[in-house]
Amino acid sequence: MNRFDYVRAGSVAEAVAAHGAGAAYLASGTNLLDLMKGGVTRPERLVDISRISGLDAVETLPDGGVRIGALARNATLAHDPAFAKAYPAVAEALLSGASAQLRNAATTAGNVLQRTRCQYFYDTASACNKRQPGAGCGARGGATRTHAILGWSEACIATHPSDFCVPLAALDAIVEIEGPAGRREIPLADFHRLPGDAPERETELAPGELIVAVRLPPDAKKFAAHSRYLKVRERTSYAFALVSAAVGLTLEGNRIGQARIALGSVALKPWRAREAESLLADQVPSPELFAKAADAALAGATPSGDNAAKIELARRIVVRALTLAQAGTPARVPALPASPFAAAPSGARP
Amino acid sequence: MSFPETGFPITLTVNGESRSLVLEDARVTLLDALRERLDLTGSKKGCDRGQCGACTVLLDGVRINACLALAVSHDGASITTIEGLADGDVLHPVQAAFVDHDGFQCGFCTPGQIMSAVGLIREGQAGDDPERVREGMSGNLCRCGAYAGITEAVLAAHAAMHAPDVLPGGHLIEDAA
């Protein structure tokens, strides 16, 4: 780890003022310190925001939405009974990520801002356009079973590894930001950038800007009774997704009202499948309809290497997530959160 | 507040005792502070990257990986390590259960396993469901593969800590936790 200057901020304003070229914000550090230990990132200054009071609050808003403070811990949020009841797919996604120790430390904003798990990005002996613009991409032609099938470019085929962000994208979450130029908001679905020819620019954050909260709008909870997050991993727990899907449905009689679908670990951002959602709206659910929706969600997918299997995997996980969501959200998060190998859900909510 | 040239004084409450130290470098992790500065070598450095769980400690009552935390960032925090669990010669119920159920072989991962199990039981999410115990303990790797014994130990400790039983000396087990 390189030497760095350490600044402890007492307020958001202090944090923003202390930030500058070469600085990074430190919350819990579960991703940042790991990257620094590997020499992948070498900030000259850490601005410690972990003690800013009030930034970990989870509050219900007057309009019925919820505002999740940037420092709210992943575990705290997932185990908040009111939150988990209103946004069960978000809770299940959180509990399917990392380990209990990491979820106890990792924060809301840190999860959104976590870097890719592309092994060529982590390996400083490999070329990486994200680490060093113009250096090339060691992943092209390499071991690509985890890499992108949507939205990738010649410059970068990495994926965004977050579970949490997938249902957030599906539920139209909004990212609240403060920075040198004041406050602003960005829809989470527009927050992460696709690589294009500038994979080193990962988000829409301007230098010095800080996420202060993530908000879910009032209508996000109307999917509570028919929501699932499913995640295919190489082992059942404590592994990043190969592909994942968050699904929310409203059912009106024998028809679907609205559908929300987002895919994870298929692109450098959580991938909202709006065409698939439109196909499902106001339709009678059936295996054929779900297959059609999955086809639409993956219509633009192309392998970025030896990873064509991820396309079919993603298609099937969309169908399975839709099928499980239609059956109903389980009363309790399954013992193996988000696992397609978990026992069939029992005690579905009315 | 910036890192002073003379070092950064911090105070931690470690296993109930107030410990003050001066960090000459902001890079010191909580794990290194415990092991190298406070001579508490029970918490192990396995991977040092948050992957193995051997460094698990309780931070303000909650299990975390001490290798992925900066000591300076946790000034004022309360830490419980494996050294702080037993009451003199009386083992904590989780320690006793690991002995009773062969929850280890070489022992390197054991402090982390035990601290993680204490955290898991406190979190109250797994209860007596072995599947939830395994899932809840997945952040602790055991290269000897003692997982079957570890799962049994955690279930037994959970049962012991939730039974209205007493320890030698007449203490309620819950009080000793």
Side-chain angles (χ1 to χ4, degrees):
Chain A
M1 200 189 291
N2 60 291
R3 272 188 179 272
F4 53 86
D5 181 27
Y6 172 86
V7 181
R8 189 183 282 169
S11 67
V12 170
E14 245 179 74
V16 170
H19 201 280
Y25 290 118
L26 170 74
S28 155
T30 50
N31 189 206
L32 180 61
L33 296 177
D34 186 29
L35 290 163
M36 289 170 69
K37 286 183 180 193
V40 180
T41 182
R42 308 170 65 84
E44 290 160 29
R45 165 180 288 187
L46 291 191
V47 179
D48 186 349
I49 61 163
S50 66
R51 288 165 183 261
I52 300 178
S53 69
L55 219 50
D56 62 350
V58 180
E59 4 164 24
T60 305
L61 299 170
D63 67 5
V66 64
R67 186 174 185 274
I68 309 159
L71 294 179
R73 309 283 171 184
N74 289 178
T76 310
L77 187 62
H79 293 308
D80 178 322
F83 182 87
K85 186 161 188 255
Y87 313 103
V90 181
E92 188 164 11
L94 282 167
L95 293 175
S96 76
S99 68
Q101 289 94 318
L102 289 166
R103 293 191 296 269
N104 281 339
T107 63
T108 296
N111 188 306
V112 172
L113 288 170
Q114 68 183 295
R115 314 286 300 275
T116 181
R117 291 282 160 173
C118 171
Q119 62 271 39
Y120 300 92
F121 169 71
Y122 262 77
D123 173 18
T124 54
S126 293
C128 177
N129 287 319
K130 197 181 262 304
R131 248 191 295 108
Q132 199 186 339
C137 172
R140 297 308 310 273
T144 49
R145 74 190 188 288
T146 65
H147 286 78
I149 51 171
L150 285 161
W152 53 273
S153 70
E154 287 302 318
C156 180
I157 61 172
T159 58
H160 193 261
S162 172
D163 295 300
F164 181 41
C165 287
V166 183
L168 288 182
L171 296 174
D172 282 339
I174 294 146
V175 183
E176 296 183 15
I177 295 159
E178 271 191 49
R183 288 185 80 98
R184 66 187 184 113
E185 302 183 347
I186 305 176
L188 183 112
D190 302 332
F191 181 80
H192 301 94
R193 293 166 61 98
L194 289 176
D197 54 9
E200 72 280 8
R201 269 208 70 191
E202 297 179 342
T203 71
E204 294 296 335
L205 283 182
E209 282 190 320
L210 178 69
I211 295 178
V212 292
V214 173
R215 212 167 66 229
L216 284 168
D219 77 343
K221 58 175 183 273
K222 73 183 179 194
F223 301 97
H226 296 279
S227 287
R228 283 315 290 267
Y229 180 69
L230 271 190
K231 169 178 177 182
V232 182
R233 296 159 267 196
E234 290 181 332
R235 56 176 187 242
T236 306
S237 181
Y238 199 11
F240 290 99
L242 285 175
V243 299
S244 71
V247 161
L249 300 173
T250 62
L251 294 183
E252 293 160 13
N254 68 340
R255 286 178 181 273
I256 295 168
Q258 282 185 43
R260 297 284 180 85
I261 303 176
L263 295 167
S265 291
V266 294
L268 205 41
K269 61 187 292 178
W271 193 268
R272 183 81 180 263
R274 293 183 195 274
E275 294 80 8
E277 293 174 6
S278 309
L279 271 173
L280 293 165
D282 202 29
Q283 300 295 311
V284 177
S286 69
E288 295 72 31
L289 180 69
F290 290 167
K292 220 168 98 185
D295 285 344
L298 276 304
T302 49
S304 58
D306 194 14
N307 61 355
K310 279 184 68 165
I311 300 173
E312 180 58 20
L313 209 49
R315 203 179 270 132
R316 291 186 192 190
I317 218 69
V318 168
V319 171
R320 176 83 77 92
L322 284 165
T323 308
L324 290 175
Q326 186 200 347
T329 306
R332 187 181 177 197
V333 175
L336 304 175
S339 171
F341 303 111
S346 59
R349 282 183 197 172
Chain B
M1 186 192 263
S2 235
F3 204 91
E5 298 243 327
T6 51
F8 202 114
I10 66 164
T11 303
L12 300 171
T13 302
V14 184
N15 301 328
E17 230 179 278
S18 179
R19 307 286 298 264
S20 294
L21 62 160
V22 176
L23 302 171
E24 73 281 6
D25 190 317
R27 291 177 291 185
V28 178
T29 62
L30 183 57
L31 178 63
D32 285 339
L34 292 169
R35 289 179 55 84
E36 310 293 335
R37 312 296 163 95
L38 301 177
D39 289 329
L40 292 167
T41 54
S43 309
K44 299 301 184 225
K45 186 183 276 193
C47 68
D48 204 27
R49 302 292 286 270
Q51 297 173 6
C52 75
C55 66
T56 303
V57 299
L58 302 186
L59 170 72
D60 296 324
V62 168
R63 55 182 166 153
I64 63 147
N65 296 316
C67 73
L68 287 186
L70 286 185
V72 66
S73 195
H74 295 287
D75 186 10
S78 180
I79 313 290
T80 308
T81 69
I82 189 73
E83 290 92 342
L85 280 192
D87 179 12
D89 287 339
V90 181
L91 292 180
H92 183 281
V94 175
Q95 291 175 304
F98 268 69
V99 174
D100 289 346
H101 293 270
D102 277 340
F104 49 86
Q105 185 177 315
C106 84
F108 186 85
C109 73
T110 310
Q113 298 279 0
I114 289 176
M115 294 315 295
S116 191
V118 171
L120 174 74
I121 292 168
R122 259 186 206 194
E123 286 157 18
Q125 301 294 332
D128 57 3
D129 179 346
E131 192 87 296
R132 287 183 194 270
V133 167
R134 282 191 287 268
E135 164 64 27
M137 294 292 291
S138 72
N140 293 83
L141 305 188
C142 171
R143 289 294 300 271
C144 301
Y147 295 111
I150 291 168
T151 306
E152 282 174 24
V154 176
L155 289 167
H158 174 269
M161 292 169 75
H162 288 78
D165 204 350
V166 289
L167 287 169
H171 302 294
L172 273 174
I173 285 175
E174 281 284 284
D175 295 341

